[in-house]
Amino acid sequence: MADLKDFAEQLVNLTVKEVNELADILKDEYGIEPAAAAVAVAAGGGGEAGEAAEEKTEFDVILKAAGASKLAVVKLVKELTGLGLKDAKDIVDSAPKAVKEGVTKDEAEGIKKSLEEAGAEVELK
């Protein structure tokens, strides 16, 4: 099973040039149509596009809905943002709305966890 995972990782990390070479080999030596092979490898999300997604360093924490305990969410938003009570309530009332923008992944996940524990529906972008 580990060999298959290694193989899958190698496929996902192929460059466009390597995918084209692989397609040629599959067609010439094994009779497999290259379009099908290229689509299968491209569906893995490899190459430069996969690397760009991994390099994301800033995240936005988006409050999608306050949930059942709106007051607890308002208090938590007030605490997390340093805003006044009215401003925090306005953010919660106008959901979906960004609570924090441009934060690190760890901070974003911590905020998301806190808000979800308070009953809110949260999304990271």
Side-chain angles (χ1 to χ4, degrees):
M1 184 60 90
D3 291 337
L4 287 176
K5 286 186 179 187
D6 291 341
F7 179 68
E9 187 172 326
Q10 288 175 339
L11 283 176
V12 169
N13 291 320
L14 289 176
T15 65
V16 174
K17 182 179 178 185
E18 292 170 330
V19 169
N20 287 330
E21 290 175 14
L22 175 62
D24 290 340
I25 292 169
L26 290 174
K27 181 179 181 184
D28 296 341
E29 295 184 23
Y30 300 99
I32 298 173
E33 187 62 37
V39 169
V41 173
E48 293 80 26
E51 292 170 12
E54 290 177 19
E55 293 177 11
K56 185 170 181 171
T57 58
E58 292 186 352
F59 295 83
D60 297 341
V61 181
I62 310 296
L63 176 68
K64 292 176 72 175
S69 54
K70 182 177 171 182
L71 182 59
V73 173
V74 170
K75 288 180 180 180
L76 188 55
V77 168
K78 177 183 179 288
E79 179 184 316
L80 292 169
T81 60
L83 296 172
L85 187 59
K86 182 184 181 325
D87 293 331
K89 183 180 180 299
D90 289 343
I91 288 175
V92 173
D93 287 342
S94 61
K97 182 86 170 173
V99 175
K100 280 228 169 176
E101 296 177 326
V103 296
T104 64
K105 183 176 182 177
D106 291 338
E107 184 178 357
E109 288 175 348
I111 293 170
K112 179 181 179 186
K113 182 179 178 191
S114 297
L115 287 168
E116 286 176 341
E117 287 173 354
E121 187 178 332
V122 184
E123 171 182 48
L124 298 181
K125 286 191 177 184

